[in-house]
PDB file of all heavy atoms in Angstrom:
ATOM      1  N   GLY A  13      68.804  71.986 125.632  1.00 94.00           N
ATOM      2  CA  GLY A  13      68.554  73.341 125.967  1.00 94.00           C
ATOM      3  C   GLY A  13      68.166  73.580 127.443  1.00 94.00           C
ATOM      4  O   GLY A  13      68.037  74.743 127.867  1.00 94.00           O
ATOM      5  N   GLU A  22      82.849  70.896 140.549  1.00 94.00           N
ATOM      6  CA  GLU A  22      82.425  69.838 139.665  1.00 94.00           C
ATOM      7  C   GLU A  22      82.916  70.120 138.274  1.00 94.00           C
ATOM      8  O   GLU A  22      82.892  71.277 137.789  1.00 94.00           O
ATOM      9  CB  GLU A  22      80.899  69.663 139.706  1.00 94.00           C
ATOM     10  CG  GLU A  22      80.362  69.221 141.061  1.00 94.00           C
ATOM     11  CD  GLU A  22      78.879  68.998 141.139  1.00 94.00           C
ATOM     12  OE1 GLU A  22      78.135  69.489 140.268  1.00 94.00           O
ATOM     13  OE2 GLU A  22      78.420  68.330 142.086  1.00 94.00           O
ATOM     14  N   GLY A  31      70.160  63.307 129.804  1.00 93.00           N
ATOM     15  CA  GLY A  31      71.297  62.386 130.003  1.00 93.00           C
ATOM     16  C   GLY A  31      72.566  62.845 129.335  1.00 93.00           C
ATOM     17  O   GLY A  31      73.573  62.147 129.513  1.00 93.00           O
ATOM     18  N   VAL A  34      78.421  66.566 129.896  1.00 94.00           N
ATOM     19  CA  VAL A  34      79.234  67.673 129.388  1.00 94.00           C
ATOM     20  C   VAL A  34      80.440  67.938 130.287  1.00 94.00           C
ATOM     21  O   VAL A  34      80.386  67.761 131.511  1.00 94.00           O
ATOM     22  CB  VAL A  34      78.340  68.958 129.227  1.00 94.00           C
ATOM     23  CG1 VAL A  34      77.807  69.378 130.574  1.00 94.00           C
ATOM     24  CG2 VAL A  34      79.115  70.088 128.549  1.00 94.00           C
ATOM     25  N   LEU A  76      68.567  44.926 167.379  1.00 95.00           N
ATOM     26  CA  LEU A  76      68.863  46.008 166.465  1.00 95.00           C
ATOM     27  C   LEU A  76      67.770  46.195 165.390  1.00 95.00           C
ATOM     28  O   LEU A  76      67.258  47.278 165.155  1.00 95.00           O
ATOM     29  CB  LEU A  76      70.206  45.772 165.849  1.00 95.00           C
ATOM     30  CG  LEU A  76      70.743  46.941 164.892  1.00 95.00           C
ATOM     31  CD1 LEU A  76      70.840  48.288 165.692  1.00 95.00           C
ATOM     32  CD2 LEU A  76      72.066  46.611 164.284  1.00 95.00           C
ATOM     33  N   ASP A 152      71.665  55.761 131.138  1.00 97.00           N
ATOM     34  CA  ASP A 152      70.375  56.017 130.610  1.00 97.00           C
ATOM     35  C   ASP A 152      69.591  56.848 131.645  1.00 97.00           C
ATOM     36  O   ASP A 152      69.162  56.353 132.674  1.00 97.00           O
ATOM     37  CB  ASP A 152      69.688  54.646 130.415  1.00 97.00           C
ATOM     38  CG  ASP A 152      68.247  54.799 129.914  1.00 97.00           C
ATOM     39  OD1 ASP A 152      67.746  55.942 129.828  1.00 97.00           O
ATOM     40  OD2 ASP A 152      67.637  53.793 129.535  1.00 97.00           O
ATOM     41  N   ASP A 205      94.127  49.736 130.307  1.00 94.00           N
ATOM     42  CA  ASP A 205      93.353  49.271 129.165  1.00 94.00           C
ATOM     43  C   ASP A 205      92.180  50.174 128.855  1.00 94.00           C
ATOM     44  O   ASP A 205      91.852  50.375 127.724  1.00 94.00           O
ATOM     45  CB  ASP A 205      92.829  47.830 129.451  1.00 94.00           C
ATOM     46  CG  ASP A 205      93.933  46.828 129.502  1.00 94.00           C
ATOM     47  OD1 ASP A 205      94.947  47.068 128.773  1.00 94.00           O
ATOM     48  OD2 ASP A 205      93.799  45.795 130.202  1.00 94.00           O
ATOM     49  N   LYS A 222      68.495  53.417 170.332  1.00 94.00           N
ATOM     50  CA  LYS A 222      68.716  53.885 171.686  1.00 94.00           C
ATOM     51  C   LYS A 222      69.234  55.305 171.754  1.00 94.00           C
ATOM     52  O   LYS A 222      70.191  55.638 172.433  1.00 94.00           O
ATOM     53  CB  LYS A 222      69.621  52.890 172.448  1.00 94.00           C
ATOM     54  CG  LYS A 222      68.944  51.535 172.637  1.00 94.00           C
ATOM     55  CD  LYS A 222      69.712  50.612 173.574  1.00 94.00           C
ATOM     56  CE  LYS A 222      68.968  49.375 173.822  1.00 94.00           C
ATOM     57  NZ  LYS A 222      69.771  48.318 174.512  1.00 94.00           N
TER      58      LYS A 222
END
Side-chain angles (χ1 to χ4, degrees):
E22 293 182 343
V34 62
L76 186 60
D152 178 353
D205 290 332
K222 293 190 174 167

